[in-house]
Amino acid sequence: MGPRASPLLPLLLALLGHPDPGRAEGCDLQPVTAEPPITLSYATSTVPWGCVSSSSLGTEHEVHILNVEWSKASAFPLKVSVVPRAGGCTRQAVLVLLCARCSATVTSPCSDLLVHTDAHLSPGTTMTRPELPMATSEGQLLAWARRTYGGITSYSKLRDPRWVQLRLGEDANKHPECIPKEHFNAMPHLETEVFFHGMKGCSRGDAQSAGAAHIVRLQAESSFPVAEVNLSLSCPEGAMSNQILILQSQANLTWSLSVNNCHIQFLVSGNYKIAHISSPLLPGEHLPDTEQGLVAKAFEKNYSVIASYSIIPTSARVSLEIQEHGEVPASSSPCPAEAVRRASLPHTLLFMLQPWKCTDETMEIVIARSHLEPIKDVVNITLRDISCQAEKNATHFMLKTPLSHCGTSLEGRGHANNEVRWGAGQGSAPIPSDVAFQCNIPRELFLRLFPTATFEVPQTELEVNKEAFVQASMRWEDHPADLQLKECWLVALGQEPVLLVQGGEARGAGVAVLEGPPSSRGRKVWRFRFTYTVPEGGRVPFSATLKCKAGLQNNTIFEKVLEVTVKDSWQPPNNRGLGLAAVLGITFGAFLIGALLTAGLWYIYSHTRPISKLQPVSSTAPASESSSTNHSIGSTQSTPCSTSSMA
Ligand SMILES: *[C@@H]1O[C@H](CO)[C@@H](O)[C@H](O)[C@H]1NC(C)=O
Ligand SMILES: *[C@@H]1O[C@H](CO)[C@@H](O)[C@H](O)[C@H]1NC(C)=O
Ligand SMILES: *[C@@H]1O[C@H](CO)[C@@H](O)[C@H](O)[C@H]1NC(C)=O
Ligand SMILES: *[C@@H]1O[C@H](CO)[C@@H](O)[C@H](O)[C@H]1NC(C)=O
Ligand SMILES: *[C@@H]1O[C@H](CO)[C@@H](O)[C@H](O)[C@H]1NC(C)=O
Ligand SMILES: *[C@@H]1O[C@H](CO)[C@@H](O)[C@H](O)[C@H]1NC(C)=O
């Protein structure tokens, strides 16, 4: 009679075995054994094994030895270029290239370069080609070189190189003997780009979507600080599929992305910009620096296949080619022309800038004219309804409209849809004239202060002893009726906070709750008026804050703070107080932060940027439909074949 396991045991083990199951559960990264879905390579000067020395200084030649190993057959011929030092090809150089069963091209402006190699040199390489001695070990090879030439300038063992650049020149300060060391920094003699073959992948068991993610992590390299990474990304011709590229690095790094033919979303840590167009530097998103965290991030964005996960050293140049065969088949792509059109410059540009910003009642678009330089002669910008034309000044196009105007549709939850159209001046090349977009409507409480009961033009100035009108509003599509205005306070420095409204009822003296417009489309609006008075003998503060909370029956609370300047018309205007730009402060649930950090908008809101303060909020609040910095190049978040068309 064996011991019988308690029926509770599996449950207990399941609980103990997953201290933090997260959303990465069900996806166990394994080495990719089949043909990898990407080709990834990066530049480096660190070789697995190598040395430099001054032993060839007194001899007739400088001697460089490259010993190439492959962990996988390379489809590319190896390119070796030998560059002379600044003074030109002064002394004869010898290259010993050990690369059995490999085809290589050796190029150099020094015509007297002597090459010993066992590689198959491709035609076009016009070097002398003395045979290589039979050397069975590294030691024998180095000994042969010493015997034959009297010294060794550099020795490098390379793994999976795509190309190698060898810079000639010797340094008297180097070691007298070339004694190879592990993980050797061969700077400034050698730079190479090597293939990374260690990628892993997995797919979530309960895969709900066919979206595939490629994750590249840069490991901090302490020996050479890299401030900027040039990443070149290329995709197969005509490919259109649901993929995301997640790039994670230390936060102080700038990514310069050069994107070729790709219809892909990306998520980047650090700062980034798009090479080749006059791109502003955009702040990325904070990304987790663990394997599990990054996989969970991909799942959160609804990409349930981790097509590739790679960790490489931080490098100034990384190249990534997405392969055709690794592609998740697009569910249907009846409109390849659309894909090509969408990948055009205006689309790339607009989706990078994301110049639209919505609140629960307005849509605003601000585009710096300098960012439109790559698109020549843009003379006017409109929305779907072409009578809604952007205003322009010397530097910007600006358009602000209520959500109820200009052809904006609110069909989707949490976002508004419209199109940016533009007219180009005469004589310019025809350009696609419209780009459909979705503008995220943050699920947060909005507070607005008005000088009159018409509630028309909001302001951020509160006048002492004068009626002010406050509107709080929010979209809550699920059950707008559940949403209540819990309380509103006026807080000024050095004074007791004043309770204005509580539980939807007026509390302070001179406060009156007003009838708001009826709820529509899941939006709820509350209004009240009050008069701000300064207590007897009190000083008029420069600024004050209006603080409101709305919430559901349960404990889900949305809080917002509106900072206003205080104007006292009885006293001469106080320049210091009035000159301060009003600052909008917002307190809101953690889940909304992403929505507000939309990278493409950073420059627009730089002077009215919301200040976020975290407030404990029910963790069961819905994960927002935050678009965050999840940008897409050349694609909309809508279906690939959207209804937009050439005008
Ligand atoms: C970036 O930050 C890391 C630490 O996170 C630091 O070691 C490195 O020197 C910094 N690099 C630059 C270019 O500031
Ligand atoms: C992911 O998919 C689910 C279910 O289809 C959807 O509710 C959610 O909004 C999607 N999330 C994102 C970030 O697209
Ligand atoms: C990165 O790319 C930019 C422009 O494409 C170029 O000017 C710069 O030299 C490149 N940096 C490196 C390290 O290759
Ligand atoms: C044009 O308008 C934008 C947005 O309102 C503003 O930031 C910018 O300073 C204005 N430029 C000029 C030259 O007035
Ligand atoms: C926008 O510019 C184009 C080209 O100059 C012009 O034909 C069109 O009438 C303009 N649209 C409006 C609404 O002014
Ligand atoms: C509160 O109620 C809303 C819907 O009315 C729901 O979405 C949310 O999960 C609830 N929160 C808690 C803590 O029960």
Side-chain angles (χ1 to χ4, degrees):
M1 246 209 266
R4 272 182 50 204
S6 147
L8 279 178
L9 196 58
L11 178 63
L12 206 60
L13 285 178
L15 288 174
L16 289 173
H18 298 274
D20 178 19
R23 293 193 57 201
E25 197 179 342
C27 187
D28 186 14
L29 287 171
Q30 298 291 335
V32 174
T33 46
E35 257 191 293
I38 58 169
T39 302
L40 177 63
S41 57
Y42 59 93
T44 181
S45 283
T46 301
V47 298
W49 188 245
C51 57
V52 292
S53 84
S54 55
S55 60
S56 60
L57 262 182
T59 67
E60 282 169 41
H61 304 88
E62 57 178 280
V63 180
H64 299 272
I65 305 176
L66 301 179
N67 185 359
V68 178
E69 287 183 347
W70 301 98
S71 50
K72 212 168 195 179
S74 169
F76 302 84
L78 171 63
K79 289 190 187 129
V80 180
S81 62
V82 180
V83 258
R85 66 177 110 198
C89 308
T90 47
R91 194 156 141 241
Q92 191 178 26
V94 176
L95 170 67
V96 181
L97 174 64
L98 256 84
C99 190
R101 298 183 309 281
C102 98
S103 82
T105 323
V106 179
T107 54
S108 175
C110 300
S111 54
D112 60 349
L113 177 73
L114 201 63
V115 184
H116 295 273
T117 185
D118 55 355
H120 174 74
L121 288 189
S122 44
T125 315
T126 55
M127 304 289 170
T128 46
R129 209 188 139 189
E131 290 311 310
L132 201 66
M134 290 299 285
T136 49
S137 72
E138 182 178 276
Q140 284 173 327
L141 178 73
L142 294 178
W144 167 81
R146 266 184 219 111
R147 247 190 349 262
T148 315
Y149 292 104
I152 296 166
T153 319
S154 79
Y155 171 77
S156 303
K157 190 178 241 183
L158 298 165
R159 187 159 298 130
D160 301 321
R162 184 175 202 152
W163 52 256
V164 183
Q165 191 182 67
L166 192 65
R167 279 180 217 104
L168 298 179
E170 300 169 276
D171 184 347
N173 297 325
K174 292 283 155 54
H175 286 273
E177 275 300 307
C178 202
I179 300 164
K181 288 194 180 60
E182 204 175 358
H183 204 65
F184 180 72
N185 180 358
M187 200 107 100
H189 269 296
L190 181 135
E191 189 180 8
T192 177
E193 185 168 319
V194 298
F195 290 107
F196 175 78
H197 292 309
M199 54 213 55
K200 298 195 280 185
C202 69
S203 143
R204 193 154 91 181
D206 60 340
Q208 288 159 349
S209 74
H214 298 280
I215 302 176
V216 177
R217 273 181 76 187
L218 297 190
Q219 262 177 337
E221 185 85 356
S222 51
S223 41
F224 350 85
V226 172
E228 182 166 322
V229 176
N230 283 4
L231 178 114
S232 92
L233 174 68
S234 61
C235 299
E237 198 66 44
M240 202 175 68
S241 65
N242 185 12
Q243 303 195 35
I244 190 170
L245 177 61
I246 300 180
L247 303 171
Q248 192 263 334
S249 65
Q250 75 220 31
N252 54 10
L253 207 80
T254 297
W255 294 81
S256 172
L257 307 173
S258 130
V259 182
N260 189 357
N261 199 26
C262 292
H263 194 86
I264 192 167
Q265 290 216 307
F266 65 92
L267 204 56
V268 188
S269 69
N271 297 315
Y272 66 98
K273 61 188 179 189
I274 309 287
H276 311 306
I277 57 179
S278 63
S279 150
L281 193 61
L282 302 169
E285 182 171 314
H286 174 75
L287 293 177
D289 62 355
T290 62
E291 180 177 297
Q292 222 197 10
L294 288 167
V295 169
K297 194 79 189 175
F299 290 167
E300 188 188 309
K301 300 282 175 194
N302 280 350
Y303 293 86
S304 45
V305 177
I306 307 299
S308 71
Y309 177 92
S310 316
I311 301 188
I312 58 175
T314 297
S315 159
R317 272 196 301 276
V318 176
S319 89
L320 200 163
E321 287 142 46
I322 294 183
Q323 302 298 324
E324 191 107 45
H325 59 259
E327 185 149 316
V328 176
S331 47
S332 63
S333 41
C335 46
E338 178 87 357
V340 172
R341 190 172 73 75
R342 284 195 168 281
S344 65
L345 191 54
H347 291 88
T348 305
L349 194 64
L350 271 210
F351 280 93
M352 189 194 70
L353 295 172
Q354 304 243 333
W356 39 81
K357 166 92 175 174
C358 287
T359 69
D360 65 331
E361 71 180 26
T362 58
M363 173 181 286
E364 186 174 25
I365 296 185
V366 180
I367 308 178
R369 299 176 82 149
S370 62
H371 295 155
L372 294 179
E373 257 162 30
I375 313 168
K376 293 282 174 276
D377 302 326
V378 174
V379 294
N380 56 32
I381 288 185
T382 72
L383 288 177
R384 185 178 280 146
D385 175 349
I386 57 168
S387 65
C388 293
Q389 199 172 158
E391 288 173 31
K392 51 191 170 188
N393 62 18
T395 54
H396 290 78
F397 284 98
M398 298 151 288
L399 197 156
K400 188 165 184 175
T401 155
L403 288 184
S404 51
H405 290 50
C406 297
T408 300
S409 74
L410 290 170
E411 276 135 37
R413 288 162 67 90
H415 56 253
N417 299 297
N418 208 316
E419 280 165 27
V420 174
R421 302 178 167 219
W422 48 65
Q426 304 249 304
S428 66
I431 53 168
S433 64
D434 63 278
V435 176
F437 67 89
Q438 279 190 346
C439 179
N440 196 56
I441 302 172
R443 187 177 259 188
E444 68 184 72
L445 184 65
F446 288 93
L447 274 189
R448 297 180 177 92
L449 182 72
F450 299 86
T452 66
T454 55
F455 289 89
E456 270 169 8
V457 183
Q459 61 173 33
T460 52
E461 193 178 79
L462 181 62
E463 201 168 328
V464 177
N465 297 326
K466 191 164 176 287
E467 270 186 342
F469 298 83
V470 177
Q471 174 178 296
S473 60
M474 180 165 178
R475 269 180 199 277
W476 184 264
E477 281 94 345
D478 311 283
H479 304 284
D482 287 354
L483 198 60
Q484 311 272 320
L485 186 63
K486 304 267 186 199
E487 54 186 43
C488 284
W489 294 81
L490 187 77
V491 185
L493 195 68
Q495 289 166 18
E496 284 287 301
V498 182
L499 181 60
L500 302 171
V501 170
Q502 192 173 40
E505 315 240 317
R507 284 297 144 98
V511 182
V513 171
L514 307 171
E515 179 96 25
S519 305
S520 79
R521 291 180 171 276
R523 176 168 178 256
K524 192 125 178 208
V525 180
W526 304 271
R527 286 173 172 176
F528 64 90
R529 63 153 202 264
F530 75 104
T531 305
Y532 177 53
T533 52
V534 178
E536 197 71 31
R539 290 184 44 197
V540 178
F542 292 133
S543 65
T545 57
L546 197 58
K547 189 189 269 191
C548 291
K549 283 182 189 172
L552 302 168
Q553 302 296 0
N554 55 37
N555 286 326
T556 310
I557 294 288
F558 302 91
E559 183 175 312
K560 178 103 161 201
V561 175
L562 178 66
E563 203 158 305
V564 294
T565 51
V566 176
K567 182 179 167 191
D568 184 2
S569 42
W570 297 106
Q571 289 175 0
N574 184 323
N575 287 334
R576 214 173 124 212
L578 295 178
L580 285 175
V583 179
L584 203 62
I586 299 176
T587 305
F588 51 96
F591 59 86
L592 280 173
I593 292 175
L596 285 160
L597 292 180
T598 303
L601 291 162
W602 67 279
Y603 62 98
I604 301 168
Y605 289 92
S606 54
H607 60 293
T608 51
R609 183 178 304 237
I611 296 159
S612 65
K613 294 178 203 151
L614 281 181
Q615 176 81 3
V617 162
S618 155
S619 61
T620 52
S624 79
E625 297 94 319
S626 138
S627 63
S628 75
T629 48
N630 186 4
H631 286 176
S632 110
I633 286 198
S635 77
T636 62
Q637 285 119 323
S638 58
T639 55
C641 300
S642 90
T643 52
S644 65
S645 61
M646 306 266 295

